Amino acid sequence: MWPKSVDWKALKFGIEIEFVGGNPEGLELLPDWIISLDELQIDETGSESGSELKPPPILWADRDQIRVMLNRLQEQGATVNWSCGFHVHIGLEPWGQDIVLPLIDAALLYQQAIQEIVSTSEHRLLFALRLLLRCEVSLL
């Protein structure tokens, strides 16, 4: 039905890096990177701070851009805590939309195990489940 094997280095992917602190408004961005100033996280004082940083879709060969941007965030004093997330989005072009429902099934099957391994906050699981269900409903 779809290719079972692909050259993973040819897959485009994107990430979302959530952080607290730093100076998001003053962050020097690489070309086509964006900072979502409305995506605030909760710092240790209970205040909203930080932001979410996103690249354009990139290839594995371009991954050094991530290191560059993480270094820039660290230099500003940005950190992560329990309220922050790191999301990876992978292009599904080699498989097409037929892969979406099997991926949702797999995500739901392994969600609890992944939560236990990485100690995901309970409130984060709700967002993941909502996203998966939204994808599934839109495809029906």
Side-chain angles (χ1 to χ4, degrees):
M1 181 185 325
W2 51 72
K4 303 240 186 239
S5 176
V6 298
D7 178 6
W8 57 271
K9 291 182 179 180
L11 291 174
K12 288 191 175 182
F13 71 98
I15 59 170
E16 297 175 9
I17 304 167
E18 296 174 351
F19 60 93
V20 293
N23 177 17
E25 297 88 359
L27 183 65
E28 180 186 352
L29 299 173
L30 291 173
D32 299 322
W33 280 66
I34 60 170
I35 190 113
S36 298
L37 298 174
D38 60 336
E39 296 285 337
L40 300 175
Q41 311 309 312
I42 306 299
D43 67 18
E44 281 68 28
T45 69
S47 299
E48 292 182 334
S49 76
S51 186
E52 183 177 77
L53 179 64
K54 299 177 249 187
I58 60 176
L59 295 170
W60 184 251
D62 304 319
R63 70 190 183 280
D64 193 53
Q65 292 180 27
I66 300 168
R67 183 191 53 77
V68 169
M69 292 308 300
L70 288 174
N71 286 342
R72 290 180 184 180
L73 284 173
Q74 278 188 311
E75 289 168 2
Q76 287 191 338
T79 60
V80 296
N81 66 10
W82 61 270
S83 81
C84 299
F86 179 85
H87 313 107
V88 178
H89 302 268
I90 300 174
L92 300 178
E93 292 82 6
W95 300 278
Q97 80 176 38
D98 289 341
I99 193 71
V100 174
L101 292 178
L103 286 176
I104 291 171
D105 289 340
L108 291 173
L109 182 65
Y110 294 105
Q111 176 176 264
Q112 186 62 37
I114 293 170
Q115 188 272 335
E116 290 175 15
I117 291 169
V118 298
S119 300
T120 304
S121 296
E122 288 293 326
H123 79 283
R124 289 287 186 187
L125 294 178
L126 178 62
F127 295 119
L129 184 56
R130 279 187 194 159
L131 177 62
L132 290 173
L133 292 175
R134 193 173 331 132
C135 289
E136 187 168 1
V137 169
S138 69
L139 291 172
L140 297 178

